[in-house]
Amino acid sequence: LSRESVAGFRQINAAAICLNPESRWKIGFDGDLTTYDISRTLTHEIGHALGLDHPGARGHVMSFRYGEAEKDLTEGDVQGARHIYGPKELTSLTSRAGDHRRKNASEALPFRQSGSF
């Protein structure tokens, strides 16, 4: 559900993600493209909930064909989100593992690290 917003984009008021219970699901990549990795599928569907569309058949998490070549978001996935929401400006970020300061968005932590959330 949405309504008109700034620059031709619509504001997202609500979203729902539904997975087909008759599809075959797995955790992790194993080369079997007939069984879908739940993490990649949810990342893709959350991208739609954020307003992203399919950029093409292959090569990105947001592509419309399932694949296991890309384990993380691609630059194209990130650029799609930045196109809608703009870049995030960070002044500093303290890591829980230590006192590492990040001073700009190019050093920001990735949206999703492989194998963890």
Side-chain angles (χ1 to χ4, degrees):
L1 303 171
S2 62
R3 63 184 173 86
E4 278 298 323
S5 188
V6 181
F9 291 106
R10 295 181 183 268
Q11 180 177 332
I12 299 167
N13 296 324
I17 296 174
C18 301
L19 301 176
N20 185 343
E22 296 185 17
S23 292
R24 294 175 52 199
W25 301 101
K26 64 184 174 185
I27 297 174
F29 294 173
D30 61 6
D32 178 4
L33 300 182
T34 64
T35 304
Y36 303 102
D37 173 59
I38 192 81
S39 296
R40 181 184 175 92
T41 302
L42 286 172
T43 301
H44 175 95
E45 296 305 327
I46 290 168
H48 286 308
L50 293 172
L52 297 175
D53 202 354
H54 299 128
R58 296 205 187 277
H60 306 282
V61 170
M62 290 308 300
S63 294
F64 61 83
R65 291 197 196 277
Y66 176 79
E68 296 184 348
E70 297 78 25
K71 296 187 187 294
D72 294 309
L73 296 175
T74 66
E75 184 61 26
D77 295 316
V78 174
Q79 288 300 321
R82 284 185 181 147
H83 179 72
I84 296 171
Y85 296 99
K88 175 140 179 120
E89 296 295 326
L90 299 177
T91 55
S92 69
L93 177 65
T94 303
S95 164
R96 289 184 187 172
D99 192 19
H100 303 288
R101 305 242 179 236
R102 299 175 194 276
K103 297 195 174 163
N104 61 48
S106 66
E107 296 179 288
L109 295 173
F111 173 77
R112 173 177 164 294
Q113 294 177 332
S114 183
S116 66
F117 290 92

